[in-house]
Amino acid sequence: MPYLAMGPWLLLAAACSFGAAMGEPRGACNSPPHQWCRSRELARACQVEQLCAQKAAPQKFPPVSVELYYESLCPACRGFLSLQLFPTWVMLNEILNVTLVPYGNAQETKTEGKWHFDCQHGEEECQGNMMEACLIHLLEDVNLFFPVIFCMESGSQVVGNLLPCLKVYAPELSMDNVTACVKGDLGNQLMHQNAQRTEALKPQHQYVPWIVINGEHTEKLQAVAMEALFTLVCTLYKGELPSACQEKLLASPSPSPQNTCLRY
């Protein structure tokens, strides 16, 4: 079992970079920052043992839950994921649980025992949705798949970004494994599961991004999350706030565009 489910790896990276700047050797720390807390040995080699131990301490209060129902090529979805959700998760990782459900406004039909999908922004969006569903399934840990999906969604081409994003953020996962999932029965079933999960939303989604906070969706929560998710998470958390919330040393991410992709 991992020593710690990552924690805010950008902050750990900053801490280790500061140590290096002060002349402290990193030793055998050859892994990317988001993996530094995955074992005691690696944390020791990267000189972040104390930070990892602090983040691994049990919490008395449950983290804030944010579920994002989205589609890979929707501009509003890409804006929210890139400008609000991912930066907030990096800064408040220890008090925030994120669930990603790529499907959105797609529609499915079953022919000869196989599911077929019609996506709002065309076949490329279906491919992007399935790639991200496969990444979530194959990597399992949000600390591993979320950086890859952020890299894809924040770049110039979502589908075309997969290979370079894998090389940077998840080199342990081969492109062949992702391709096999996307083209095979596994990817088809994963998309069907996302379709079922999206259709089961109450209230039923009318647009994407569709944001569910602590199991609840309201237009007010949606509007606040789209504008200032960082502040919303700090406000909703019932336990002791991390320093990013308490001291407001880190500014909230830039507001996301307020448009949406309406269900058709």
Side-chain angles (χ1 to χ4, degrees), residues 213-243:
I213 308 290
N214 289 337
E216 180 183 13
H217 173 90
T218 67
E219 290 302 307
K220 182 177 180 180
L221 280 173
Q222 173 87 18
V224 174
M226 289 286 287
E227 183 68 26
L229 181 65
F230 177 88
T231 302
L232 179 62
V233 172
C234 290
T235 302
L236 291 177
Y237 185 60
K238 303 300 183 183
E240 182 179 353
L241 294 176
S243 59

PDB file of all heavy atoms in Angstrom, residues 213-243:
ATOM      1  N   ILE A 213     -21.265  18.536  -5.742  1.00  0.00           N
ATOM      2  CA  ILE A 213     -20.471  18.833  -4.553  1.00  0.00           C
ATOM      3  C   ILE A 213     -21.052  18.085  -3.365  1.00  0.00           C
ATOM      4  O   ILE A 213     -22.213  18.260  -3.023  1.00  0.00           O
ATOM      5  CB  ILE A 213     -20.461  20.348  -4.240  1.00  0.00           C
ATOM      6  CG1 ILE A 213     -20.057  21.165  -5.476  1.00  0.00           C
ATOM      7  CG2 ILE A 213     -19.555  20.642  -3.052  1.00  0.00           C
ATOM      8  CD1 ILE A 213     -18.627  21.038  -5.874  1.00  0.00           C
ATOM      9  N   ASN A 214     -20.240  17.237  -2.741  1.00  0.00           N
ATOM     10  CA  ASN A 214     -20.702  16.441  -1.594  1.00  0.00           C
ATOM     11  C   ASN A 214     -22.029  15.743  -1.896  1.00  0.00           C
ATOM     12  O   ASN A 214     -22.945  15.717  -1.079  1.00  0.00           O
ATOM     13  CB  ASN A 214     -20.836  17.318  -0.348  1.00  0.00           C
ATOM     14  CG  ASN A 214     -19.488  17.743   0.208  1.00  0.00           C
ATOM     15  OD1 ASN A 214     -18.469  17.098  -0.028  1.00  0.00           O
ATOM     16  ND2 ASN A 214     -19.458  18.834   0.959  1.00  0.00           N
ATOM     17  N   GLY A 215     -22.133  15.182  -3.102  1.00  0.00           N
ATOM     18  CA  GLY A 215     -23.309  14.418  -3.494  1.00  0.00           C
ATOM     19  C   GLY A 215     -24.498  15.251  -3.931  1.00  0.00           C
ATOM     20  O   GLY A 215     -25.579  14.695  -4.177  1.00  0.00           O
ATOM     21  N   GLU A 216     -24.336  16.561  -4.050  1.00  0.00           N
ATOM     22  CA  GLU A 216     -25.462  17.438  -4.354  1.00  0.00           C
ATOM     23  C   GLU A 216     -25.133  18.358  -5.524  1.00  0.00           C
ATOM     24  O   GLU A 216     -24.029  18.895  -5.622  1.00  0.00           O
ATOM     25  CB  GLU A 216     -25.810  18.281  -3.119  1.00  0.00           C
ATOM     26  CG  GLU A 216     -26.971  19.239  -3.312  1.00  0.00           C
ATOM     27  CD  GLU A 216     -27.244  20.104  -2.087  1.00  0.00           C
ATOM     28  OE1 GLU A 216     -26.385  20.133  -1.175  1.00  0.00           O
ATOM     29  OE2 GLU A 216     -28.308  20.739  -2.041  1.00  0.00           O
ATOM     30  N   HIS A 217     -26.128  18.536  -6.403  1.00  0.00           N
ATOM     31  CA  HIS A 217     -26.001  19.540  -7.463  1.00  0.00           C
ATOM     32  C   HIS A 217     -27.129  20.547  -7.333  1.00  0.00           C
ATOM     33  O   HIS A 217     -28.301  20.188  -7.301  1.00  0.00           O
ATOM     34  CB  HIS A 217     -26.075  18.916  -8.857  1.00  0.00           C
ATOM     35  CG  HIS A 217     -26.117  19.963  -9.945  1.00  0.00           C
ATOM     36  ND1 HIS A 217     -24.982  20.469 -10.529  1.00  0.00           N
ATOM     37  CD2 HIS A 217     -27.168  20.634 -10.501  1.00  0.00           C
ATOM     38  CE1 HIS A 217     -25.324  21.388 -11.420  1.00  0.00           C
ATOM     39  NE2 HIS A 217     -26.646  21.515 -11.423  1.00  0.00           N
ATOM     40  N   THR A 218     -26.775  21.816  -7.252  1.00  0.00           N
ATOM     41  CA  THR A 218     -27.734  22.914  -7.338  1.00  0.00           C
ATOM     42  C   THR A 218     -27.139  23.958  -8.271  1.00  0.00           C
ATOM     43  O   THR A 218     -25.923  23.993  -8.482  1.00  0.00           O
ATOM     44  CB  THR A 218     -28.024  23.556  -5.970  1.00  0.00           C
ATOM     45  OG1 THR A 218     -26.821  24.215  -5.500  1.00  0.00           O
ATOM     46  CG2 THR A 218     -28.477  22.523  -4.943  1.00  0.00           C
ATOM     47  N   GLU A 219     -27.990  24.818  -8.798  1.00  0.00           N
ATOM     48  CA  GLU A 219     -27.487  25.864  -9.676  1.00  0.00           C
ATOM     49  C   GLU A 219     -26.569  26.824  -8.918  1.00  0.00           C
ATOM     50  O   GLU A 219     -25.605  27.350  -9.479  1.00  0.00           O
ATOM     51  CB  GLU A 219     -28.660  26.626 -10.302  1.00  0.00           C
ATOM     52  CG  GLU A 219     -29.436  25.800 -11.327  1.00  0.00           C
ATOM     53  CD  GLU A 219     -28.549  25.306 -12.462  1.00  0.00           C
ATOM     54  OE1 GLU A 219     -27.854  26.137 -13.083  1.00  0.00           O
ATOM     55  OE2 GLU A 219     -28.540  24.081 -12.727  1.00  0.00           O
ATOM     56  N   LYS A 220     -26.854  27.029  -7.630  1.00  0.00           N
ATOM     57  CA  LYS A 220     -26.005  27.908  -6.832  1.00  0.00           C
ATOM     58  C   LYS A 220     -24.617  27.302  -6.637  1.00  0.00           C
ATOM     59  O   LYS A 220     -23.598  27.979  -6.821  1.00  0.00           O
ATOM     60  CB  LYS A 220     -26.652  28.189  -5.477  1.00  0.00           C
ATOM     61  CG  LYS A 220     -25.838  29.135  -4.599  1.00  0.00           C
ATOM     62  CD  LYS A 220     -26.545  29.442  -3.292  1.00  0.00           C
ATOM     63  CE  LYS A 220     -25.719  30.385  -2.431  1.00  0.00           C
ATOM     64  NZ  LYS A 220     -26.402  30.692  -1.134  1.00  0.00           N
ATOM     65  N   LEU A 221     -24.573  26.022  -6.269  1.00  0.00           N
ATOM     66  CA  LEU A 221     -23.279  25.353  -6.105  1.00  0.00           C
ATOM     67  C   LEU A 221     -22.509  25.341  -7.420  1.00  0.00           C
ATOM     68  O   LEU A 221     -21.288  25.560  -7.439  1.00  0.00           O
ATOM     69  CB  LEU A 221     -23.486  23.929  -5.605  1.00  0.00           C
ATOM     70  CG  LEU A 221     -23.759  23.731  -4.116  1.00  0.00           C
ATOM     71  CD1 LEU A 221     -24.104  22.274  -3.829  1.00  0.00           C
ATOM     72  CD2 LEU A 221     -22.551  24.158  -3.282  1.00  0.00           C
ATOM     73  N   GLN A 222     -23.209  25.088  -8.501  1.00  0.00           N
ATOM     74  CA  GLN A 222     -22.574  25.076  -9.820  1.00  0.00           C
ATOM     75  C   GLN A 222     -21.936  26.428 -10.123  1.00  0.00           C
ATOM     76  O   GLN A 222     -20.779  26.509 -10.552  1.00  0.00           O
ATOM     77  CB  GLN A 222     -23.616  24.727 -10.889  1.00  0.00           C
ATOM     78  CG  GLN A 222     -23.128  24.833 -12.316  1.00  0.00           C
ATOM     79  CD  GLN A 222     -22.465  23.579 -12.843  1.00  0.00           C
ATOM     80  OE1 GLN A 222     -22.642  22.495 -12.288  1.00  0.00           O
ATOM     81  NE2 GLN A 222     -21.706  23.706 -13.926  1.00  0.00           N
ATOM     82  N   ALA A 223     -22.693  27.497  -9.902  1.00  0.00           N
ATOM     83  CA  ALA A 223     -22.200  28.837 -10.221  1.00  0.00           C
ATOM     84  C   ALA A 223     -20.985  29.200  -9.378  1.00  0.00           C
ATOM     85  O   ALA A 223     -19.997  29.753  -9.878  1.00  0.00           O
ATOM     86  CB  ALA A 223     -23.316  29.859 -10.022  1.00  0.00           C
ATOM     87  N   VAL A 224     -21.029  28.878  -8.083  1.00  0.00           N
ATOM     88  CA  VAL A 224     -19.910  29.205  -7.196  1.00  0.00           C
ATOM     89  C   VAL A 224     -18.683  28.376  -7.569  1.00  0.00           C
ATOM     90  O   VAL A 224     -17.556  28.888  -7.601  1.00  0.00           O
ATOM     91  CB  VAL A 224     -20.300  28.972  -5.724  1.00  0.00           C
ATOM     92  CG1 VAL A 224     -19.092  29.177  -4.818  1.00  0.00           C
ATOM     93  CG2 VAL A 224     -21.425  29.906  -5.312  1.00  0.00           C
ATOM     94  N   ALA A 225     -18.893  27.094  -7.860  1.00  0.00           N
ATOM     95  CA  ALA A 225     -17.768  26.234  -8.228  1.00  0.00           C
ATOM     96  C   ALA A 225     -17.110  26.696  -9.519  1.00  0.00           C
ATOM     97  O   ALA A 225     -15.876  26.705  -9.633  1.00  0.00           O
ATOM     98  CB  ALA A 225     -18.243  24.790  -8.374  1.00  0.00           C
ATOM     99  N   MET A 226     -17.900  27.114 -10.482  1.00  0.00           N
ATOM    100  CA  MET A 226     -17.357  27.580 -11.755  1.00  0.00           C
ATOM    101  C   MET A 226     -16.534  28.852 -11.577  1.00  0.00           C
ATOM    102  O   MET A 226     -15.557  29.085 -12.277  1.00  0.00           O
ATOM    103  CB  MET A 226     -18.490  27.830 -12.745  1.00  0.00           C
ATOM    104  CG  MET A 226     -19.174  26.580 -13.258  1.00  0.00           C
ATOM    105  SD  MET A 226     -18.174  25.650 -14.451  1.00  0.00           S
ATOM    106  CE  MET A 226     -18.283  26.698 -15.907  1.00  0.00           C
ATOM    107  N   GLU A 227     -16.917  29.671 -10.612  1.00  0.00           N
ATOM    108  CA  GLU A 227     -16.262  30.958 -10.408  1.00  0.00           C
ATOM    109  C   GLU A 227     -15.089  30.884  -9.426  1.00  0.00           C
ATOM    110  O   GLU A 227     -14.052  31.517  -9.630  1.00  0.00           O
ATOM    111  CB  GLU A 227     -17.274  31.983  -9.903  1.00  0.00           C
ATOM    112  CG  GLU A 227     -16.734  33.386  -9.717  1.00  0.00           C
ATOM    113  CD  GLU A 227     -16.378  34.063 -11.024  1.00  0.00           C
ATOM    114  OE1 GLU A 227     -16.962  33.693 -12.066  1.00  0.00           O
ATOM    115  OE2 GLU A 227     -15.495  34.935 -11.021  1.00  0.00           O
ATOM    116  N   ALA A 228     -15.244  30.094  -8.350  1.00  0.00           N
ATOM    117  CA  ALA A 228     -14.233  30.099  -7.278  1.00  0.00           C
ATOM    118  C   ALA A 228     -14.266  28.784  -6.510  1.00  0.00           C
ATOM    119  O   ALA A 228     -14.646  28.736  -5.338  1.00  0.00           O
ATOM    120  CB  ALA A 228     -14.464  31.278  -6.334  1.00  0.00           C
ATOM    121  N   LEU A 229     -13.849  27.707  -7.157  1.00  0.00           N
ATOM    122  CA  LEU A 229     -13.892  26.390  -6.516  1.00  0.00           C
ATOM    123  C   LEU A 229     -12.972  26.331  -5.308  1.00  0.00           C
ATOM    124  O   LEU A 229     -13.310  25.723  -4.288  1.00  0.00           O
ATOM    125  CB  LEU A 229     -13.503  25.312  -7.530  1.00  0.00           C
ATOM    126  CG  LEU A 229     -13.532  23.878  -6.996  1.00  0.00           C
ATOM    127  CD1 LEU A 229     -14.944  23.460  -6.615  1.00  0.00           C
ATOM    128  CD2 LEU A 229     -12.944  22.904  -8.022  1.00  0.00           C
ATOM    129  N   PHE A 230     -11.807  26.930  -5.398  1.00  0.00           N
ATOM    130  CA  PHE A 230     -10.846  26.919  -4.289  1.00  0.00           C
ATOM    131  C   PHE A 230     -11.496  27.458  -3.014  1.00  0.00           C
ATOM    132  O   PHE A 230     -11.439  26.846  -1.946  1.00  0.00           O
ATOM    133  CB  PHE A 230      -9.631  27.763  -4.670  1.00  0.00           C
ATOM    134  CG  PHE A 230      -8.590  27.892  -3.584  1.00  0.00           C
ATOM    135  CD1 PHE A 230      -7.583  26.963  -3.464  1.00  0.00           C
ATOM    136  CD2 PHE A 230      -8.622  28.951  -2.686  1.00  0.00           C
ATOM    137  CE1 PHE A 230      -6.618  27.080  -2.472  1.00  0.00           C
ATOM    138  CE2 PHE A 230      -7.673  29.081  -1.688  1.00  0.00           C
ATOM    139  CZ  PHE A 230      -6.662  28.132  -1.583  1.00  0.00           C
ATOM    140  N   THR A 231     -12.138  28.602  -3.113  1.00  0.00           N
ATOM    141  CA  THR A 231     -12.791  29.217  -1.956  1.00  0.00           C
ATOM    142  C   THR A 231     -13.935  28.353  -1.462  1.00  0.00           C
ATOM    143  O   THR A 231     -14.141  28.208  -0.255  1.00  0.00           O
ATOM    144  CB  THR A 231     -13.314  30.617  -2.325  1.00  0.00           C
ATOM    145  OG1 THR A 231     -12.204  31.415  -2.774  1.00  0.00           O
ATOM    146  CG2 THR A 231     -13.971  31.293  -1.132  1.00  0.00           C
ATOM    147  N   LEU A 232     -14.680  27.751  -2.375  1.00  0.00           N
ATOM    148  CA  LEU A 232     -15.807  26.892  -1.997  1.00  0.00           C
ATOM    149  C   LEU A 232     -15.328  25.691  -1.191  1.00  0.00           C
ATOM    150  O   LEU A 232     -15.923  25.343  -0.164  1.00  0.00           O
ATOM    151  CB  LEU A 232     -16.551  26.431  -3.248  1.00  0.00           C
ATOM    152  CG  LEU A 232     -17.742  25.499  -3.016  1.00  0.00           C
ATOM    153  CD1 LEU A 232     -18.826  26.191  -2.186  1.00  0.00           C
ATOM    154  CD2 LEU A 232     -18.318  25.030  -4.356  1.00  0.00           C
ATOM    155  N   VAL A 233     -14.254  25.046  -1.630  1.00  0.00           N
ATOM    156  CA  VAL A 233     -13.735  23.877  -0.912  1.00  0.00           C
ATOM    157  C   VAL A 233     -13.265  24.278   0.481  1.00  0.00           C
ATOM    158  O   VAL A 233     -13.557  23.597   1.472  1.00  0.00           O
ATOM    159  CB  VAL A 233     -12.599  23.215  -1.712  1.00  0.00           C
ATOM    160  CG1 VAL A 233     -11.917  22.122  -0.878  1.00  0.00           C
ATOM    161  CG2 VAL A 233     -13.138  22.629  -3.015  1.00  0.00           C
ATOM    162  N   CYS A 234     -12.555  25.385   0.590  1.00  0.00           N
ATOM    163  CA  CYS A 234     -12.113  25.860   1.908  1.00  0.00           C
ATOM    164  C   CYS A 234     -13.297  26.147   2.816  1.00  0.00           C
ATOM    165  O   CYS A 234     -13.267  25.869   4.020  1.00  0.00           O
ATOM    166  CB  CYS A 234     -11.268  27.122   1.750  1.00  0.00           C
ATOM    167  SG  CYS A 234      -9.634  26.868   1.003  1.00  0.00           S
ATOM    168  N   THR A 235     -14.371  26.694   2.268  1.00  0.00           N
ATOM    169  CA  THR A 235     -15.554  27.040   3.059  1.00  0.00           C
ATOM    170  C   THR A 235     -16.296  25.801   3.534  1.00  0.00           C
ATOM    171  O   THR A 235     -16.790  25.750   4.665  1.00  0.00           O
ATOM    172  CB  THR A 235     -16.507  27.923   2.225  1.00  0.00           C
ATOM    173  OG1 THR A 235     -15.809  29.105   1.815  1.00  0.00           O
ATOM    174  CG2 THR A 235     -17.728  28.322   3.029  1.00  0.00           C
ATOM    175  N   LEU A 236     -16.362  24.770   2.692  1.00  0.00           N
ATOM    176  CA  LEU A 236     -17.160  23.585   3.008  1.00  0.00           C
ATOM    177  C   LEU A 236     -16.438  22.604   3.938  1.00  0.00           C
ATOM    178  O   LEU A 236     -17.093  21.822   4.630  1.00  0.00           O
ATOM    179  CB  LEU A 236     -17.555  22.855   1.722  1.00  0.00           C
ATOM    180  CG  LEU A 236     -18.551  23.577   0.817  1.00  0.00           C
ATOM    181  CD1 LEU A 236     -18.785  22.765  -0.453  1.00  0.00           C
ATOM    182  CD2 LEU A 236     -19.875  23.815   1.540  1.00  0.00           C
ATOM    183  N   TYR A 237     -15.121  22.626   3.959  1.00  0.00           N
ATOM    184  CA  TYR A 237     -14.406  21.661   4.783  1.00  0.00           C
ATOM    185  C   TYR A 237     -14.611  21.960   6.265  1.00  0.00           C
ATOM    186  O   TYR A 237     -14.463  23.103   6.711  1.00  0.00           O
ATOM    187  CB  TYR A 237     -12.917  21.675   4.452  1.00  0.00           C
ATOM    188  CG  TYR A 237     -12.145  20.604   5.192  1.00  0.00           C
ATOM    189  CD1 TYR A 237     -12.447  19.254   5.025  1.00  0.00           C
ATOM    190  CD2 TYR A 237     -11.129  20.938   6.084  1.00  0.00           C
ATOM    191  CE1 TYR A 237     -11.757  18.268   5.704  1.00  0.00           C
ATOM    192  CE2 TYR A 237     -10.419  19.960   6.762  1.00  0.00           C
ATOM    193  CZ  TYR A 237     -10.744  18.623   6.575  1.00  0.00           C
ATOM    194  OH  TYR A 237     -10.050  17.654   7.265  1.00  0.00           O
ATOM    195  N   LYS A 238     -14.940  20.924   7.046  1.00  0.00           N
ATOM    196  CA  LYS A 238     -15.304  21.102   8.459  1.00  0.00           C
ATOM    197  C   LYS A 238     -14.125  20.980   9.419  1.00  0.00           C
ATOM    198  O   LYS A 238     -14.225  21.369  10.581  1.00  0.00           O
ATOM    199  CB  LYS A 238     -16.359  20.065   8.851  1.00  0.00           C
ATOM    200  CG  LYS A 238     -17.622  20.107   7.993  1.00  0.00           C
ATOM    201  CD  LYS A 238     -18.311  21.455   8.066  1.00  0.00           C
ATOM    202  CE  LYS A 238     -19.603  21.454   7.257  1.00  0.00           C
ATOM    203  NZ  LYS A 238     -20.262  22.790   7.243  1.00  0.00           N
ATOM    204  N   GLY A 239     -13.016  20.444   8.960  1.00  0.00           N
ATOM    205  CA  GLY A 239     -11.871  20.244   9.852  1.00  0.00           C
ATOM    206  C   GLY A 239     -10.928  21.426   9.850  1.00  0.00           C
ATOM    207  O   GLY A 239     -11.255  22.520   9.386  1.00  0.00           O
ATOM    208  N   GLU A 240      -9.736  21.188  10.400  1.00  0.00           N
ATOM    209  CA  GLU A 240      -8.715  22.231  10.424  1.00  0.00           C
ATOM    210  C   GLU A 240      -8.260  22.520   9.007  1.00  0.00           C
ATOM    211  O   GLU A 240      -7.881  21.612   8.254  1.00  0.00           O
ATOM    212  CB  GLU A 240      -7.530  21.796  11.279  1.00  0.00           C
ATOM    213  CG  GLU A 240      -6.431  22.847  11.395  1.00  0.00           C
ATOM    214  CD  GLU A 240      -5.277  22.393  12.258  1.00  0.00           C
ATOM    215  OE1 GLU A 240      -5.382  21.315  12.880  1.00  0.00           O
ATOM    216  OE2 GLU A 240      -4.259  23.118  12.299  1.00  0.00           O
ATOM    217  N   LEU A 241      -8.273  23.767   8.636  1.00  0.00           N
ATOM    218  CA  LEU A 241      -7.962  24.131   7.260  1.00  0.00           C
ATOM    219  C   LEU A 241      -6.458  24.088   7.002  1.00  0.00           C
ATOM    220  O   LEU A 241      -5.658  24.455   7.861  1.00  0.00           O
ATOM    221  CB  LEU A 241      -8.490  25.529   6.958  1.00  0.00           C
ATOM    222  CG  LEU A 241     -10.012  25.689   6.959  1.00  0.00           C
ATOM    223  CD1 LEU A 241     -10.390  27.145   6.743  1.00  0.00           C
ATOM    224  CD2 LEU A 241     -10.662  24.811   5.903  1.00  0.00           C
ATOM    225  N   PRO A 242      -6.062  23.653   5.818  1.00  0.00           N
ATOM    226  CA  PRO A 242      -4.641  23.708   5.463  1.00  0.00           C
ATOM    227  C   PRO A 242      -4.183  25.155   5.343  1.00  0.00           C
ATOM    228  O   PRO A 242      -4.993  26.077   5.242  1.00  0.00           O
ATOM    229  CB  PRO A 242      -4.599  22.985   4.106  1.00  0.00           C
ATOM    230  CG  PRO A 242      -5.978  23.114   3.564  1.00  0.00           C
ATOM    231  CD  PRO A 242      -6.901  23.098   4.746  1.00  0.00           C
ATOM    232  N   SER A 243      -2.879  25.330   5.334  1.00  0.00           N
ATOM    233  CA  SER A 243      -2.336  26.687   5.318  1.00  0.00           C
ATOM    234  C   SER A 243      -2.765  27.478   4.090  1.00  0.00           C
ATOM    235  O   SER A 243      -2.927  28.699   4.157  1.00  0.00           O
ATOM    236  CB  SER A 243      -0.810  26.646   5.395  1.00  0.00           C
ATOM    237  OG  SER A 243      -0.270  25.919   4.308  1.00  0.00           O
TER     238      SER A 243
END
